[in-house]
Amino acid sequence: MTAGEVTHAAATPTWHPEVLDGPLTTRQLLRVDEALRIADRTTELTFSVYIGDLADPARGAAERLHGELVDPDQSVLIAISPNQRVLEIVTGERVRRRLPDRECKLAALSMAAAFGGGDLAGGIVSGLAQLADHAGKP
């Protein structure tokens, strides 16, 4: 699998060419992008999804990716490495007040169940919805 990244900016999604060779179809990418847009709009947080291999340790790699976001303190990163069977959710300092670890773990379990059934896009979409619901409105 080629590493790819799907991110969401406030006005326009950022597509990286390598995403088109990744594990999601164009239709699935559009579903994920819409889920990102809804999560951002309803929570006023910034949600991002990374799909690709993560360096060891995976948690540290996910935290480094999260730190590269425009406003890490106000952001949530879902990092998924299908090849390594790894899922990490990293939240910013201000996000943790609204989205505690327990809620992230519940969303991760839900996503992992979908991934195990072969539904990567559906797992991401439902995980984003669950995280946004838990974070609530500001």
Side-chain angles (χ1 to χ4, degrees):
M1 175 182 82
T2 304
E5 182 177 0
V6 178
T7 60
H8 177 70
T12 309
T14 302
W15 298 100
H16 297 272
E18 63 273 16
V19 170
L20 299 178
D21 294 329
L24 301 177
T25 66
T26 301
R27 182 182 201 116
Q28 291 169 327
L29 285 170
L30 292 171
R31 284 181 55 213
V32 170
D33 184 59
E34 180 64 16
L36 285 164
R37 193 179 350 267
I38 291 168
D40 286 358
R41 186 177 49 233
T42 60
T43 64
E44 295 183 14
L45 300 173
T46 302
F47 286 81
S48 299
V49 174
Y50 171 86
I51 303 171
D53 291 337
L54 295 165
D56 284 328
R59 181 66 186 185
E63 288 172 347
R64 283 189 296 281
L65 286 170
H66 181 264
E68 294 174 10
L69 297 173
V70 174
D71 186 5
D73 285 343
Q74 196 70 13
S75 299
V76 178
L77 172 68
I78 301 171
I80 305 160
S81 176
N83 291 337
Q84 296 164 291
R85 300 180 60 86
V86 172
L87 166 64
E88 296 286 347
I89 299 174
V90 184
T91 56
E93 190 67 34
R94 287 181 275 173
V95 175
R96 284 188 202 109
R97 293 182 212 125
R98 294 174 51 195
L99 198 56
D101 287 346
R102 181 179 186 282
E103 304 302 337
C104 291
K105 287 178 185 177
L106 290 172
L109 286 172
S110 173
M111 286 187 277
F115 299 163
D119 189 6
L120 182 61
I124 294 168
V125 169
S126 68
L128 284 165
Q130 191 171 356
L131 290 168
D133 285 346
H134 287 298
K137 297 184 186 218

